[in-house]
Amino acid sequence: MSLSPVEGVALAEIESGGDGGAPKSGGVVGRSPGQLALARLRRDRTARVSAALLVFFVVVALVAPLLSMVYGVGPGEDFKDKLDRCCGMPLGYLGGISGEHWFGLEPGTGRDIFIRMVYGLRTSLLIAFSAAVLSTALGVTLGVVAGYLGGWVDAVITWITDLVLAMPFLIIALALMPTLVLRFYGERDAVPEAFGVAMLIAIFAVFGWTSTARLVRGQVIALREREFVEAARASGAGLGHMLFRQLLPNIWAPILVAFSLAVPQFITSEAALAFIGVGLTDETPSFGRMIYRSLDYLQTDPAYVFFPGVTIFALVLAFNLFGDALRDALDPKSSR
């Protein structure tokens, strides 16, 4: 009788002694898939470094108000008295870098770049994580239902998936965001920051679930005829039990990897939309808006584009490296 993927992965490796040598004297002890994956992650130097960097970014984003209080500068506070009166450039070297302003000041507005980056990091992670959670939940639900039920249900969900994939995301976002703003707010009304964030999360979730749904559907189709599923079905298990107690626990590994890779995708998408002026206003701290405004000062103030550019590059790279390491750790056939 064949085993489920979870049982197969759990039996793929045998727990050895603390030094990696002979088994413990008490006998052979099997480890769960989660324990095996965690052990592989701990042995992977790239995973450790990228995870440490991600923890640092998340902590900075969470304590942004505390950092602002300690730093003594708010994200909307400006220091125009420290700008050149003729062209609005920051006084001093490298864009006004000093003990009071660690990364200098924004040309024209006089806002502190460091604290804007801290709050921009918070905005990017909030949007990316929220959109990843919603899109993954939607994709998993539709994928597991389509894969298990098959027939016309599978055909309808597959047709909807293909339809969403055929829609040009960027064009729809460019048309939808201004329309929604005019629908709820007038042309002269100030758009709240929460509205722009919520709209971006909703758009990302609506367009971001398709790859997860296809992945889950394929995994469920491969599992639905296995012996453990047939045994649960013969014992009278209901639909909910079959989907979320029998099938879903056996495909959590690819879902987790898909989630970890979706977060950096949404981070770059948010920055790209903010760069072209869609979604977030200039008052909302955002890496995309900062990089867009810095293009006019590439020669006169290169520090303005350097700090936000390097930060978002490091953030996305850390997520991608950790996602790759997680995929290798969850694969029992991986040599890493």
Side-chain angles (χ1 to χ4, degrees):
M1 181 176 181
S2 62
L3 299 174
S4 70
V6 168
E7 295 167 336
V9 174
L11 296 177
E13 296 184 11
I14 302 298
E15 181 179 20
S16 56
D19 58 354
K24 295 181 179 180
S25 58
V28 175
V29 180
R31 290 186 290 178
S32 68
Q35 291 173 328
L36 296 176
L38 185 60
R40 295 192 187 100
L41 282 176
R42 288 175 176 175
R43 294 195 301 265
D44 191 337
R45 182 179 302 177
T46 302
R48 296 197 303 268
V49 174
S50 58
L53 191 58
L54 290 178
V55 170
F56 169 75
F57 282 132
V58 171
V59 170
V60 169
L62 291 176
V63 300
L66 180 61
L67 284 177
S68 177
M69 182 177 62
V70 174
Y71 190 60
V73 178
E77 189 174 354
D78 62 73
F79 299 87
K80 293 185 177 180
D81 57 321
K82 297 182 180 181
L83 301 180
D84 186 281
R85 293 185 178 180
C86 106
C87 51
M89 296 299 298
L91 300 174
Y93 296 100
L94 296 176
I97 294 179
S98 64
E100 298 179 357
H101 307 288
W102 295 350
F103 291 172
L105 300 174
E106 289 184 345
T109 64
R111 296 178 298 201
D112 187 272
I113 294 178
F114 170 75
I115 204 65
R116 296 282 295 180
M117 286 176 52
V118 169
Y119 276 85
L121 183 65
R122 191 183 194 190
T123 302
S124 296
L125 290 178
L126 172 63
I127 293 175
F129 272 109
S130 301
V133 169
L134 292 177
S135 62
T136 301
L138 182 59
V140 168
T141 302
L142 294 177
V144 72
V145 170
Y148 180 73
L149 295 181
W152 67 269
V153 176
D154 184 20
V156 170
I157 295 178
T158 301
W159 181 82
I160 295 175
T161 303
D162 294 337
L163 179 63
V164 175
L165 286 172
M167 295 180 179
F169 166 74
L170 184 60
I171 295 177
I172 292 180
L174 286 171
L176 189 60
M177 287 299 297
T179 303
L180 292 175
V181 170
L182 292 177
R183 172 64 179 81
F184 293 97
Y185 301 93
E187 295 183 359
R188 299 181 179 180
D189 295 337
V191 180
E193 177 181 340
F195 179 81
V197 171
M199 288 297 99
L200 283 178
I201 293 174
I203 290 177
F204 289 156
V206 168
F207 286 92
W209 59 269
T210 53
S211 59
T212 303
R214 283 190 164 185
L215 173 66
V216 171
R217 174 182 175 273
Q219 295 288 326
V220 171
I221 290 176
L223 291 176
R224 66 184 181 185
E225 303 301 331
R226 298 286 293 272
E227 286 81 354
F228 72 96
V229 177
E230 293 290 346
R233 188 185 297 117
S235 65
L239 179 61
H241 178 88
M242 294 298 301
L243 296 181
F244 300 104
R245 297 295 297 275
Q246 294 295 329
L247 294 172
L248 196 57
N250 288 283
I251 57 175
W252 63 271
I255 293 174
L256 188 58
V257 173
F259 175 85
S260 66
L261 296 177
V263 174
Q265 177 185 352
F266 290 136
I267 291 176
T268 54
S269 297
E270 181 273 325
L273 290 177
F275 181 85
I276 60 178
V278 177
L280 301 179
T281 61
D282 189 62
E283 288 73 19
T284 304
S286 168
F287 287 109
R289 296 297 298 174
M290 294 181 71
I291 295 175
Y292 170 74
R293 295 190 73 256
S294 68
L295 294 181
D296 296 331
Y297 307 97
L298 285 177
Q299 296 182 349
T300 56
D301 189 6
Y304 187 19
V305 69
F306 174 78
F307 290 114
V310 169
T311 302
I312 194 172
F313 171 78
L315 177 62
V316 173
L317 180 63
F319 266 112
N320 285 327
L321 291 178
F322 185 77
D324 291 338
L326 182 63
R327 179 177 53 196
D328 294 333
L330 293 172
D331 184 5
K333 299 179 182 179
S334 175
S335 58
R336 298 180 62 178

